[in-house]
Amino acid sequence: MPAILLGGTALISCNGNKQVLDRPNIIHIMTDDHSFQTISAYGHPISQLAPTPNLDRLAREGMLFTRGYVENSLSAPSRATLLTGMYSHMHGQETLGPGFDTTLTVFPQLLQEAGYQTAIIGKWHLHCDPKGFDYYRILFEQGDYYNPEFKTKDTDGKYIKESGYASTLITDYSLEWLDNRDKSKPFCLLLHHKTPHRNWMPEPKYLNLYDDVEFPYPETLFDDYEGREAASTQEMSIAKDMSWSYDLKVDQLKDKDKTPWIVRDWKRALDRMTPEERKAWDEAYDDENLKMIDRNLSGEELVKWKYQRYIKDYVRCIKSLDDQIGRVLDYLDKNGLTENTIIVYTSDQGFYMGEHGWFDKRFMYEESFRTPLIVRFPKMMKKKGTRCDALVQNIDYAPTYLDIAGIEKPEWMVGRSLTELFRNEGKEPEDWRNTLYYHYYDYPAVHMVRRHDGVFDGRYKLIHFYGEGKQKDKGNDIDKWELYDLQEDPCEVNNIYGEEGTSEITKGLTEELERYRKDYNVVEF
Ligand code: SGN
Ligand code: CA
């Protein structure tokens, strides 16, 4: 039986089951590769020049988490962790390849059983169809910025090309679903943006935004990787690994790009545009490209030019994203949904904005391990604009959403509900966790980051790089330990493992690492 709407806010069902109808709604907004450095509420110098007013509004009205982390800094694993509340080795999605154990129960299924209406719109990125969702509209693989393809339950297994820019379309479809949903039920919407994933293609109207700004350079842009073997063999450096065309948008130098997939994907990205979009694109980039070519830059000057081009395109994409977050917040206000909806803003992992000379993620070093997390939930947060410094991780989302819906956490979920933090102005209960476990597996793969696991206690970080050298690194096996004191060395450039005075810390963290491996049956390390 449908519910009736009284006075625009109170919902009473015809079968008298008021409790079901009063349960909070859930919106999980997850972007792809969004760094905390580019959200102005976090205060990083880059973000001060490229502010995000709508995300800042969310932080002002909710809670900003300063220590939100992932357990494996990569898309597909992070998405499977969101759905299951498990570590990667438990749900099987350790890398970007197939792996997810599709027999597992995902939290949206439990919400459905409890009367929630569920949807996922945007990036999905697992090698199976979504389950546990009444509705889905998902992007093809990584998705595209311009005129992307989507699949729904009604498109006969096909992906259909749509006209528009990815972040706008994903928001349009989300608001449309909210409008047309069964309003007698609480809802859970996973709103998963493609933005700002590589190759950072700005929306036409923002192609010239920040043209006159010079973004500050990170201290470690010219890192020499001394004492850090795995950091020295990666292939994700702005200086060496960015392509002229696909990454840097210098179409004039595309012949320098020899990697077949780069050549192919750049052509595809341009071919997707309408003639008007292509015209705006060329007008925005051509002049500056020609000037740069004329200057014949080399060495540090060239790296700095590449850095500016990279950061500008990235924050232009963030501008569009922030606009779209604003649309969602306005929609909730207009429809009387703000009070009873938890809205979570996060990313599937963090991203390097030139720190260590890098783009991409994967490493357990801070900028990719740490992930933005902002939560607004007026019903549980009596005070607005608080900060929470507790160690939280993406294993905690599923337990949180179940808790909010009044569903008991299944024993297989390893995370912990965040509601105690919401209720208590971000102060952690006495028995809150003291450490986090991290494990990255995707090697050999693009960017060539070696396998590693480790623990972090909020100050010290112990990392173990391990495994056989493969492909280009053939025979170059690795078994290396690193230890950082983030209080003394926030940029993580001084590996103090084995140094005098660190044995007690190393002993404690090694025991903790062994405890995680044993308690959770980690077999590879
Ligand atoms: C693609 C990207 C990589 C990126 C992975 C994983 N190349 O392969 O740079 O590390 O995705 O990203 S791309 O130019 O084709 O985009 S993730 O977000 O899915 O984990
Ligand atoms: Ca990602």
Side-chain angles (χ1 to χ4, degrees):
M1 289 286 277
I4 41 172
L5 192 62
L6 290 179
T9 48
L11 286 163
I12 299 167
S13 75
C14 294
N15 64 10
N17 191 356
K18 187 166 185 301
Q19 226 192 337
V20 173
L21 295 172
D22 274 341
R23 279 189 293 181
N25 304 305
I26 299 163
I27 300 185
H28 182 88
I29 304 183
M30 189 155 84
T31 48
D32 194 1
D33 293 0
H34 194 183
S35 57
F36 64 84
Q37 304 92 302
T38 53
I39 296 178
S40 34
Y42 280 109
H44 188 279
I46 295 179
S47 68
Q48 302 311 297
L49 296 171
T52 49
N54 292 296
L55 285 169
D56 291 6
R57 173 185 163 196
L58 199 63
R60 248 189 348 265
E61 295 173 358
M63 190 176 284
L64 183 80
F65 286 78
T66 60
R67 284 178 171 164
Y69 290 87
V70 289
E71 57 78 56
N72 179 2
S73 182
L74 201 60
S75 167
S78 176
R79 288 160 208 277
T81 292
L82 160 69
L83 292 170
T84 59
M86 287 171 161
Y87 290 116
S88 294
H89 70 283
M90 302 168 82
H91 57 58
Q93 188 65 52
E94 296 177 345
T95 67
L96 291 183
F100 188 42
D101 177 354
T102 51
T103 65
L104 293 172
T105 302
V106 294
F107 86 84
Q109 279 177 291
L110 300 173
L111 289 180
Q112 271 183 326
E113 280 167 20
Y116 270 73
Q117 201 174 5
T118 60
I120 177 159
I121 296 171
K123 184 166 171 181
W124 167 246
H125 209 206
L126 293 169
H127 299 260
C128 55
D129 280 340
K131 78 170 173 189
F133 296 96
D134 298 305
Y135 177 82
Y136 64 75
R137 185 180 277 267
I138 53 172
L139 288 169
F140 179 63
E141 293 179 356
Q142 293 285 7
D144 283 285
Y145 281 99
Y146 281 71
N147 312 311
E149 284 87 8
F150 291 90
K151 175 170 106 169
T152 71
K153 285 183 183 171
D154 302 324
T155 58
D156 215 10
K158 293 191 192 73
Y159 287 87
I160 313 287
K161 192 167 175 177
E162 306 283 345
S163 302
Y165 188 68
S167 16
T168 316
L169 287 175
I170 290 168
T171 309
D172 289 348
Y173 292 133
S174 297
L175 300 185
E176 196 180 293
W177 180 77
L178 286 174
D179 252 353
N180 296 328
R181 75 188 197 278
D182 175 353
K183 298 199 172 78
S184 70
K185 290 178 173 179
F187 67 83
C188 171
L189 167 65
L190 308 189
L191 198 171
H192 287 186
H193 282 284
K194 182 230 170 23
T195 305
H197 192 270
R198 190 183 182 192
N199 66 337
W200 323 290
M201 294 179 74
E203 187 177 0
K205 69 174 173 190
Y206 290 137
L207 281 165
N208 290 104
L209 187 69
Y210 311 125
D211 264 359
D212 301 327
V213 179
E214 184 176 16
F215 284 91
Y217 299 92
E219 240 178 275
T220 56
L221 184 61
F222 299 103
D223 195 345
D224 62 7
Y225 313 122
E226 199 195 319
R228 288 157 290 147
E229 185 183 324
S232 73
T233 58
Q234 46 57 47
E235 294 180 1
M236 47 190 253
S237 101
I238 294 174
K240 297 194 311 298
D241 303 305
M242 273 192 167
S243 60
W244 278 111
S245 56
Y246 184 70
D247 293 312
L248 294 164
K249 326 305 189 317
V250 187
D251 194 43
Q252 292 80 353
L253 296 181
K254 66 169 182 267
D255 292 344
K256 286 186 183 257
D257 294 330
K258 303 291 177 210
T259 314
W261 75 262
I262 291 275
V263 174
R264 185 198 63 211
D265 284 12
W266 175 238
K267 184 174 178 324
R268 273 194 196 158
L270 293 181
D271 287 351
R272 311 187 64 81
M273 294 180 182
T274 62
E276 299 76 51
E277 287 165 346
R278 181 62 200 271
K279 188 165 172 277
W281 183 273
D282 289 341
E283 277 171 13
Y285 289 105
D286 281 356
D287 275 1
E288 218 213 305
N289 288 351
L290 293 171
K291 270 193 229 150
M292 182 272 302
I293 292 167
D294 231 32
R295 286 169 66 200
N296 221 351
L297 298 171
S298 63
E300 292 199 356
E301 285 311 306
L302 180 58
V303 177
K304 284 181 164 180
W305 187 91
K306 291 182 179 181
Y307 171 82
Q308 292 298 333
R309 174 57 60 90
Y310 161 49
I311 297 297
K312 285 183 190 183
D313 281 342
Y314 186 99
V315 290
R316 285 167 182 147
C317 292
I318 296 304
K319 179 68 182 160
S320 299
L321 184 66
D322 187 72
D323 291 350
Q324 299 304 323
I325 304 300
R327 286 180 68 204
V328 176
L329 299 182
D330 287 349
Y331 180 91
L332 296 181
D333 284 349
K334 279 197 198 103
N335 290 277
L337 291 166
T338 299
E339 191 65 21
N340 198 30
T341 301
I342 175 171
I343 175 159
V344 171
Y345 181 86
T346 188
S347 169
D348 60 346
Q349 14 67 207
F351 214 67
Y352 295 97
M353 305 274 88
E355 298 88 357
H356 307 287
W358 296 339
F359 64 101
D360 215 69
K361 54 265 179 176
R362 298 161 190 263
F363 279 101
M364 196 189 170
Y365 305 129
E366 213 56 6
E367 294 80 5
S368 57
F369 177 33
R370 191 176 147 199
T371 302
L373 177 58
I374 308 175
V375 182
R376 185 183 77 181
F377 192 18
K379 205 170 193 175
M380 275 192 192
M381 295 175 177
K382 292 298 159 240
K383 202 167 156 195
K384 292 177 177 179
T386 53
R387 287 171 84 92
C388 176
D389 301 324
L391 289 171
V392 306
Q393 208 166 19
N394 55 343
I395 48 174
D396 300 328
Y397 297 132
T400 303
Y401 298 143
L402 294 182
D403 188 12
I404 280 171
I407 303 165
E408 207 181 316
K409 183 179 99 161
E411 89 287 346
W412 72 78
M413 289 190 179
V414 293
R416 177 167 171 173
S417 168
L418 303 175
T419 53
E420 290 160 284
L421 301 169
F422 301 160
R423 285 205 174 90
N424 205 16
E425 293 176 22
K427 288 182 209 77
E428 37 189 295
E430 287 218 336
D431 63 345
W432 196 255
R433 63 168 73 91
N434 296 317
T435 59
L436 298 174
Y437 179 66
Y438 180 85
H439 202 148
Y440 172 80
Y441 303 83
D442 205 2
Y443 170 87
V446 62
H447 305 308
M448 297 298 275
V449 174
R450 303 299 298 249
R451 286 175 166 232
H452 55 291
D453 72 347
V455 281
F456 178 50
D457 71 3
R459 173 170 176 182
Y460 293 100
K461 196 183 281 181
L462 178 72
I463 316 178
H464 179 229
F465 289 93
Y466 71 93
E468 281 176 31
K470 294 179 182 161
Q471 282 182 358
K472 299 171 218 168
D473 281 343
K474 219 162 185 247
N476 191 10
D477 300 353
I478 194 169
D479 177 12
K480 282 269 165 40
W481 291 85
E482 296 183 7
L483 177 70
Y484 298 94
D485 175 356
L486 273 85
Q487 196 170 297
E488 298 300 320
D489 174 29
C491 294
E492 297 167 291
V493 287
N494 297 317
N495 174 12
I496 54 171
Y497 186 83
E499 280 189 10
E500 221 185 299
T502 59
S503 60
E504 274 307 297
I505 292 149
T506 305
K507 186 168 171 280
L509 287 179
T510 308
E511 280 168 11
E512 187 67 349
L513 182 59
E514 277 162 7
R515 184 188 65 77
Y516 275 111
R517 289 167 174 176
K518 189 162 160 284
D519 286 0
Y520 295 107
N521 293 315
V522 183
V523 276
E524 290 176 284
F525 51 83

